[in-house]
Amino acid sequence: MTVVVTVATGTELRESSGMTTRLMLEYARREGGDAAVASLLERTGWSGREAELSDETAWFSLTTKIAMFEALCDVLDDPQAVRLAGASVLDLSVGNGLKLALRALGSPAVVYRNVVRANAKFSAIQSMELLNVRRDGCTLAFWDNAGGPVHPLDCGYTQGLLSAIPPLFGLPPANVSHRICAAEGHARCIYDVRWHAHDATPREVALAGLLTAGTLTAAAIAAPALLPFAAAAGVVAGGACALRAGRGMRAANRHLKAELRDRHADAQRMSDSLQDLVSALDLDEVLDKIVRNACAAVGSKEFVLLVAEDDRLRARASSGVPPQTLELLEDWVAADPPRSPELVLVDDVLEVPALAALEDDAAMPVGSICLVPLAYHGATVGALLALAPQSHTFLPRDLDLVSSYAAPAAIALANARHFAAQRSLATRDPLTGLLNHREFHESLERELERARRSGGHLSIAMFDLDGFKLVNDSAGHAEGDRLLRAVAVAMEQACRSSDMAFRVGGDEFALLIPGSDQEGAVAVAERVRRGLSSVDARVSASIGMASWPADGGSKDVLLAHADAALYSMKSASHGERSAREPGAAVAPATGRAHLRERLVMANRLCGRLTPILEPERIASAVVTELHHSFGYLLAYVSRVDGDTLRTVAIGGTATELLDVPLWTQGVDQGVSGRVVRTGRTTLVHDTALDADHIGAESIDLGDRLILRSELAVPLRVAGRVWGVLSIQADEPSAFGPDDVLLLEMVGALVAAALHRTALYAELDSAFSTMLGVLGDALEAKDDYTAEHARDVAQLAGRVSVRLGLDDDETRAVHYAALLHDIGKIGVRTEILTKPGALTDAERREMQRHSAIGAELLQRIPFFERVHPLVRGVHERWDGAGYPDRLTAEATPLGARIISACDALHAMTSDRTYRAAMPLEAALAELRACAGTQFDPQVVDAVLAEAQAPRPAAPVER
């Protein structure tokens, strides 16, 4: 079966991208509110279909596009509305992925060089050509592929879009002049585009470089939880630079803010797509989601998903691609199947004879193709094809997006196929092919709940083969198996299509009969019983029935009634009660897979890891989850540290009975070391036969902990082995293929969380350094270095943890410590640099810096918790501080912490006017000021932190 994903409704020609219709709606909303949008939809006859027109992945006819253009001009009473809408694309939430792709090209000149590819994002029937390009200008041609005229509004729209390219890079809009117009009978529209190439001063370049480094680091993470940090860094640094760099820097800031907004939206869209992708396991649903989310993640492309079946890749899902196109693509891939995981790009289908016919397809022309194999564990499970309507359409970022999306798509597809196979094995009896004992109970629960909701009927019939044991004992098990298979066939032939047949034990069968009243169910069950009895003269069948609601309201009560009726019939036929007790049917083993439980655990673990930003806490969370879910004897995470493997978290049932210490070992030792060296998952069925295995005696547990099986997977972060996740058991061959699949899936989740943590740490370091440098640069009177702000922030963070502040509160203290003197930017330089004592007026002006800093930071939403701390840093416990003369606990706790930490650091640092005090003397001074200048509780915490011993090193193994 092929899954067809409907991206746009209706039978419209696929000529104009949904980005255009969305842009018209967004511009109408900005200029005239919701009323303008409603009027626009009414005029075009699309009332009630706003969501459809706002879908950037959809395609519409040229007629629809022009109707939107004309309606927009009428609604806004502005003949230039369409051109202005095109010029406003940067300010509206439209085409964010395309804007990011164009920004990645680096400059307006390079974007205009790629105008052919960019134009194909908007139109499938109109083309562009770059005639020439200069440093600050270019000439472009635009025409209708069929040779017809270009609508004047379409021409204006194109001019608007062309003018919006320089603002992508913080430059003023381009000036577009139109010498020759296809709307006036010419073959092409010719546009002359000129833009201003801004030359920054060296100082502007340095400051903008610092700002750009912080913001682009955040954008590279593509995690919504981290983007606010980069946005805050850009705003704070941009605010300082704005005082010096003038108008050009303000334009650059607006450009960076727009880029951050687009990156945030793009990252959120990709995150939502991936989250939706991993939320399903049903194969058809996963096929649908892969295509649908590929359209959402990449945009403006059609997609086809080929799945490996019977030594051939077959089209199993598409975004509405015609059958003839699917067949041609299947044949093309079959003739030259992908032999490596590398992306295949066909920029022009006319250059490939087997694909040339695609361009002439009236329903959906295809001009270029991008194919990415879907590989899982070295095997090709499918291929994802992106189709574009014109040749030379794919931008570099398009290729990156398709490639990056292919990896999770391959995992989702492989997991769904594995789940389907396991579900079939888990629900079917391997001998007879009937549904098994476990599925019987699940189906009974499900159908019973449906009957309760709908008020319908439900009956169950239990069958037992009389005489089967004699056949089995006298003719052998092979004959008994043949008889059971024949009984299963007879049972399926005798029941209705709506009924469900099960083998629930050795010679016991069951029938679920939904939708029939008691009389109808008895007729069905009796027909099945006669069919079973006719299979072989040596056996007959006894039957017991129960119906809902007549025989009880729960599953257990129904089964008890059916069992009682069954054994009553057996007793009547044999003259004595069967030796077996009712309900004693033996259920076949269901195996160790428990795939559903494992996937639920993985989903739960993903939710637990999402908010964690510390590697040790991530490691602890995963071993705890593995222990609680599956009760492994030992589960641990080890981290690579140079030539050493250091265990950072350990769990399992053994840790509840024994004191298992953390240990270290060389990467050239043990099974974990082998995983690090090879980068491959390792399964050891019997550790006694593995020369690399390191036993429990190496950590001084001797025979108190027996380790006989081990499974270890590498944790890869940014392409390198960060560490190892390992589980161990006390018996040989304890782990199988399903355990390998589970641990590799968990390892992938952990590695992703660790990667996010590493990127966050890098961003936090860059952000903290930048703010520290900024703060120290403002302290022109002092001879501090960037170390001052960082040291105070680090000490304040540790004291915050000691006082029980949560992660968000501690982070607010950290940033406030870095920024507590930023308000000095508003203090006159002569006061900051005055060598002598300040006058009362000068002192009052200096003391205003706390309020100035708080007011500056108050404008930034991210610093909602920070600015009150900055304002209160110079308050005192006794109320003699400034600017608000707050007393005791009226000052925020974070500000009291920073105040004490800043004082300790100042006393123990060399200054131009005095040498540093010894630590003990500084602590004594801090203690003496407790209750007057400082909060006594905070002073106790600072003293404890300053005198705290360093943590012990882990045990060498």
Side-chain angles (χ1 to χ4, degrees):
M1 182 180 72
T2 300
V3 176
V4 177
V5 180
T6 303
V7 179
T9 59
T11 57
E12 290 216 24
L13 295 175
R14 308 168 81 92
E15 296 174 332
S16 178
S17 166
M19 281 195 290
T20 294
T21 52
R22 178 181 174 87
L23 179 55
M24 297 303 106
L25 292 172
E26 292 299 320
Y27 184 76
R29 179 173 285 108
R30 190 186 76 173
E31 297 299 311
D34 292 338
V37 173
S39 180
L40 177 64
L41 295 173
E42 182 180 358
R43 287 171 182 264
T44 55
W46 282 70
S47 295
R49 302 175 72 177
E50 179 181 351
E52 198 172 331
L53 288 166
S54 298
D55 183 2
E56 294 186 12
T57 66
W59 286 84
F60 302 94
S61 68
L62 179 62
T63 301
T64 296
K65 179 175 77 168
I66 300 303
M68 290 285 289
F69 287 172
E70 293 173 340
L72 181 68
C73 293
D74 291 342
V75 168
L76 299 181
D77 193 23
D78 182 359
Q80 296 298 317
V82 174
R83 177 169 180 163
L84 294 175
S88 302
V89 66
L90 189 62
D91 301 321
L92 301 173
S93 181
V94 179
N96 293 332
L98 176 58
K99 285 184 277 190
L100 288 174
L102 296 178
R103 282 194 181 99
L105 295 176
S107 71
V110 180
V111 173
Y112 287 117
R113 287 193 183 98
N114 284 271
V115 71
V116 173
R117 298 181 187 274
N119 174 70
K121 305 279 186 178
F122 291 89
S123 176
I125 61 171
Q126 294 166 327
S127 297
M128 271 194 171
E129 180 184 0
L130 179 67
L131 302 180
N132 64 69
V133 63
R134 305 171 298 282
R135 179 174 177 271
D136 58 355
C138 67
T139 303
L140 298 161
F142 176 67
W143 68 92
D144 184 278
N145 293 338
V150 174
H151 194 281
L153 292 178
D154 208 353
C155 180
Y157 175 56
T158 303
Q159 294 177 62
L161 292 175
L162 292 174
S163 71
I165 289 175
L168 287 170
F169 305 95
L171 300 174
N175 180 27
V176 182
S177 60
H178 191 24
R179 298 181 287 112
I180 299 174
C181 183
E184 298 174 354
H186 295 278
R188 297 181 172 190
C189 289
I190 304 296
Y191 304 113
D192 188 55
V193 184
R194 294 183 180 276
W195 62 90
H196 173 65
H198 174 66
D199 292 320
T201 65
R203 181 173 179 82
E204 287 175 310
V205 171
L207 291 172
L210 181 63
L211 177 59
T212 304
T215 53
L216 293 185
T217 300
I221 296 174
L226 302 182
L227 282 171
F229 298 126
V235 173
V236 173
C241 292
L243 297 176
R244 298 166 175 84
R247 186 176 304 171
M249 198 60 203
R250 287 195 296 273
N253 284 342
R254 289 195 298 271
H255 155 59
L256 290 172
K257 287 179 183 179
E259 182 172 1
L260 280 176
R261 184 184 64 243
D262 294 344
R263 285 189 180 276
H264 182 272
D266 191 58
Q268 185 64 52
R269 183 170 58 254
M270 177 64 82
S271 175
D272 292 343
S273 295
L274 296 182
Q275 186 173 358
D276 184 53
L277 184 61
V278 301
S279 65
L281 282 172
D282 178 77
L283 182 57
D284 286 337
E285 185 178 357
V286 168
L287 295 175
D288 176 281
K289 285 179 178 289
I290 288 176
V291 171
R292 188 179 301 278
N293 285 295
C295 291
V298 180
S300 301
K301 301 288 184 296
E302 305 296 342
F303 280 86
V304 175
L305 177 61
L306 305 180
V307 178
E309 294 178 355
D310 304 324
D311 298 326
R312 181 183 171 99
L313 292 175
R314 301 187 182 277
R316 290 292 308 275
S318 76
S319 56
V321 176
Q324 63 272 17
T325 300
L326 298 178
E327 184 177 353
L328 193 150
L329 291 172
E330 281 186 359
D331 293 341
W332 171 59
V333 175
D336 187 18
R339 294 177 176 81
S340 73
E342 298 301 321
L343 176 146
V344 176
L345 175 63
V346 179
D347 245 343
D348 188 348
V349 297
L350 294 179
E351 297 177 357
V352 181
L355 298 174
L358 291 176
E359 192 175 59
D360 298 327
D361 193 316
M364 186 185 293
V366 176
S368 50
I369 298 174
C370 170
L371 180 149
V372 181
L374 304 183
Y376 184 75
H377 279 201
T380 299
V381 296
L384 187 64
L385 286 78
L387 314 179
Q390 296 194 46
S391 62
H392 303 284
T393 297
F394 290 94
L395 291 164
R397 188 173 181 277
D398 294 331
L399 305 180
D400 291 340
L401 281 173
V402 176
S403 296
S404 62
Y405 183 77
I411 296 174
L413 176 59
N415 285 343
R417 296 182 67 178
H418 183 75
F419 178 76
Q422 292 297 318
R423 182 168 59 181
S424 177
L425 292 175
T427 59
R428 293 283 174 180
D429 171 52
L431 177 64
T432 64
L434 297 178
L435 296 170
N436 62 20
H437 177 269
R438 185 178 70 178
E439 186 64 18
F440 168 67
H441 283 275
E442 292 182 359
S443 299
L444 178 54
E445 289 272 19
R446 186 170 57 250
E447 293 299 326
L448 189 57
E449 180 60 29
R450 181 180 290 116
R452 290 193 186 102
R453 290 197 307 269
S454 63
H457 298 276
L458 176 67
S459 296
I460 56 174
M462 308 295 294
F463 301 91
D464 189 276
L465 296 183
D466 301 320
F468 175 76
K469 186 176 185 304
L470 181 61
V471 174
N472 219 25
D473 292 344
S474 61
H477 291 290
E479 177 63 13
D481 290 346
R482 183 203 64 77
L483 179 56
L484 290 175
R485 286 192 290 268
V487 167
V489 171
M491 190 172 188
E492 288 187 314
Q493 291 175 345
C495 67
R496 306 169 306 176
S497 59
S498 59
D499 304 327
M500 290 176 278
F502 306 83
R503 182 189 178 199
V504 296
D507 60 351
E508 296 180 347
F509 297 81
L511 187 66
L512 208 55
I513 310 171
S516 294
D517 58 18
Q518 208 164 8
E519 183 178 352
V522 168
V524 172
E526 182 57 30
R527 184 171 66 250
V528 172
R529 187 189 71 80
R530 290 195 300 269
L532 300 185
S533 299
S534 66
V535 169
D536 193 299
R538 294 170 291 181
V539 298
S540 60
S542 296
I543 182 174
M545 291 194 64
S547 297
W548 185 88
D551 295 322
S554 70
K555 181 188 76 171
D556 293 337
V557 173
L558 287 177
L559 289 175
H561 273 282
D563 278 335
L566 173 65
Y567 288 102
S568 175
M569 182 176 183
K570 289 180 71 68
S571 297
S573 62
H574 290 282
E576 59 181 4
R577 186 168 179 81
S578 169
R580 289 179 296 181
E581 292 299 321
V586 180
T590 58
R592 299 182 61 256
H594 303 300
L595 183 58
R596 189 186 304 275
E597 292 84 353
R598 293 169 186 251
L599 292 169
V600 168
M601 185 280 295
N603 184 62
R604 184 169 59 246
L605 178 62
C606 186
R608 288 187 61 184
L609 295 182
T610 298
I612 301 178
L613 294 174
E614 296 79 28
E616 289 73 15
R617 289 182 58 200
I618 290 173
S620 178
V622 69
V623 298
T624 299
E625 187 64 56
L626 287 172
H627 169 45
H628 288 168
S629 297
F630 303 108
Y632 293 124
L633 178 66
L634 203 62
Y636 57 89
V637 173
S638 299
R639 180 174 185 173
V640 177
D641 185 6
D643 294 331
T644 302
L645 258 177
R646 177 169 54 87
T647 304
V648 294
I650 189 167
T653 56
T655 61
E656 296 178 345
L657 304 174
L658 301 170
D659 182 16
V660 183
L662 300 176
W663 68 85
T664 61
Q665 65 186 70
V667 294
D668 58 345
Q669 298 176 302
V671 173
S672 295
R674 190 163 76 216
V675 171
V676 174
R677 297 192 305 272
T678 63
R680 297 178 180 176
T681 297
T682 297
L683 173 60
V684 178
H685 290 294
D686 190 344
T687 58
L689 304 178
D690 191 288
D692 288 333
H693 180 73
I694 298 176
E697 64 277 2
S698 299
I699 51 176
D700 299 327
L701 291 178
D703 57 5
R704 289 183 294 164
L705 182 60
I706 306 301
L707 305 173
R708 291 298 304 276
S709 299
E710 182 170 2
L711 172 59
V713 300
L715 303 175
R716 291 186 176 275
V717 176
R720 304 180 66 178
V721 177
W722 179 94
V724 178
L725 170 62
S726 177
I727 55 176
Q728 298 201 36
D730 57 0
E731 58 183 19
S733 301
F735 307 119
D738 293 314
D739 297 285
V740 174
L741 179 62
L742 169 71
L743 209 63
E744 287 186 339
M745 180 167 56
V746 171
L749 292 175
V750 173
L754 291 170
H755 192 198
R756 185 184 67 247
T757 298
L759 291 172
Y760 170 79
E762 182 180 345
L763 171 65
D764 187 63
S765 176
F767 185 46
S768 298
T769 299
M770 181 171 62
L771 296 183
V773 170
L774 179 61
D776 288 333
L778 295 172
E779 294 193 32
K781 183 179 178 180
D782 297 324
D783 193 25
Y784 278 145
T785 66
E787 295 296 327
H788 167 65
R790 285 199 297 270
D791 290 347
V792 172
Q794 290 170 2
L795 177 59
R798 294 196 299 271
V799 172
S800 299
V801 172
R802 187 175 288 273
L803 288 173
L805 275 65
D806 62 28
D807 289 348
D808 289 338
E809 293 169 327
T810 299
R811 192 172 293 113
V813 171
H814 176 79
Y815 288 124
L818 289 172
L819 294 167
H820 69 279
D821 281 333
I822 194 174
K824 289 181 180 179
I825 195 172
V827 178
R828 286 179 293 155
T829 303
E830 55 267 30
I831 294 178
L832 291 173
T833 58
K834 185 175 181 179
L838 299 179
T839 65
D840 290 343
E842 290 171 338
R843 184 175 294 104
R844 285 193 298 272
E845 182 174 349
M846 172 67 82
Q847 291 178 349
R848 289 185 57 244
H849 81 270
S850 296
I852 293 173
E855 291 170 2
L856 177 64
L857 298 176
Q858 192 173 6
R859 304 174 187 176
I860 306 171
F862 172 66
F863 284 144
E864 181 181 4
R865 292 188 175 189
V866 175
H867 68 78
L869 308 187
V870 171
R871 186 178 184 91
V873 163
H874 293 288
E875 300 288 355
R876 289 170 53 107
W877 185 258
D878 57 9
Y882 61 85
D884 301 314
R885 293 191 172 276
L886 301 177
T887 60
E889 294 181 354
T891 302
L893 176 57
R896 286 177 265 148
I897 292 171
I898 298 169
S899 178
C901 294
D902 188 46
L904 178 61
H905 188 269
M907 288 187 286
T908 56
S909 300
D910 288 325
R911 306 296 294 270
T912 56
Y913 50 85
R914 60 157 174 79
M917 294 174 61
L919 178 61
E920 289 302 322
L923 294 177
E925 179 68 18
L926 202 65
R927 190 181 298 110
C929 294
T932 55
Q933 183 175 354
F934 306 114
D935 179 350
Q937 181 186 12
V938 170
V939 170
D940 290 342
V942 173
L943 296 177
E945 183 60 37
Q947 297 170 337
R950 292 188 177 185
V955 177
E956 289 293 333
R957 169 171 166 173

